[in-house]
Amino acid sequence: MGSPRKIIIDTDPGQDDAAAIMLALGSPEEIEVLGITTVAGNVPLARTSTNARIICEFAGRPDVKVYAGAERPLKRKPISAEHVHGATGLDGPPLFEPTMPLQDQNGVDFIIETLRREPKGTVTLCTLGPLTNVALALTRAPDIAASIREIVLMGGAYFEVGNITPTAEFNIYVDPEAAEIVFKSGVPLVMLTLDVTHKVLTLKARIESIRSLGTRAAVALAQMLDFFERFDIEKYGSDGGPLHDPTVIAYLLKPELFAGRDCNVEIEVNSELTLGMTVIDWWRVTDRPKNAKVLKDVDAQGFFDLLTERVGRL
Ligand code: BDR
Ligand code: CA
């Protein structure tokens, strides 16, 4: 095996963000987390920055560097999702004040500096929240676009269409102008859409497999998932909630679990009705250039086996 793949995780934790961070930290042979940058999303920035550090401490990794990024979307008022994630964004396990520090450097500056320092084409950005930080970095330092290996993002949908509005997925909807900048940047993009994440459901047996690992990280994650799934179970009438964000990290570890196709993707930024819609040319009915790999299918049990095994290593 070669050296681990270098990533920056940009996140708005979020219980499913926690699962993603734990999956990455539990996979040090394949993934090196250069840093975690936080963004306003599921809850305000101060809380996502606290939550990211709580997750690292649950994972036994207080050495990971966490940087706070943007406090609000580029042009719009912040929108949060306490109705899904609870007042803290990380409801479920007993929470605490983290002892590890928040870094002084701003998250956007960290992204720019890291991409300029590391060899070209070696750093992957994994985004689990609104794309504000990445858009700010690309706008302030356009030279970094050529240095990014890939942006692997949780966001958007085609067949599932939307979750926060009838036509938009939360991460794109919160900051559609940021998403537009990213999708027009020319950087290689991989999208983990709702079409994938709605196939990976937190079934009871899957949560119990995680809980039965018995470690601090695993028990905390199981408690988070207990809380997280209740909203979606009621909303969708399913046996479990979709587990969105860890699909990003699972894709890096085992791309063979996923299937999709290269498409043109444009972001709706003008219409009030369909704001934040990812207009995906899945059926290739236009000649617009392909700018993203859009993932649609997943081996759900393979994904949960991977998540459980890696969380068990923490
Ligand atoms: C996305 O929105 C957030 O609530 C989740 O953490 C995930 O990143 C799903 O639409
Ligand atoms: Ca998220």
Side-chain angles (χ1 to χ4, degrees), residues 62 151 159 170 175 286:
I151 298 174
F159 297 93
F170 180 80
D175 199 342
T286 74

Side-chain angles (χ1 to χ4, degrees), residues 11-18 37-55 68-73 77-91 95 128-130 132-133 164 170-171 174 227-228 245:
T11 179
D12 64 337
Q15 294 90 348
D16 60 323
D17 302 69
T37 53
T38 56
V39 66
N42 287 321
V43 280
L45 181 71
R47 193 63 230 184
T48 59
S49 304
T50 298
N51 290 352
R53 289 177 292 145
I54 290 176
I55 295 159
E71 210 160 5
R72 48 177 303 134
K77 287 207 188 91
I79 296 167
S80 53
E82 284 88 354
H83 62 293
V84 181
H85 299 268
T88 66
L90 214 54
D91 279 24
L95 299 179
L128 315 177
T132 319
N133 288 339
I164 185 76
F170 180 80
N171 290 339
V174 170
F227 181 89
F228 182 55
D245 292 338

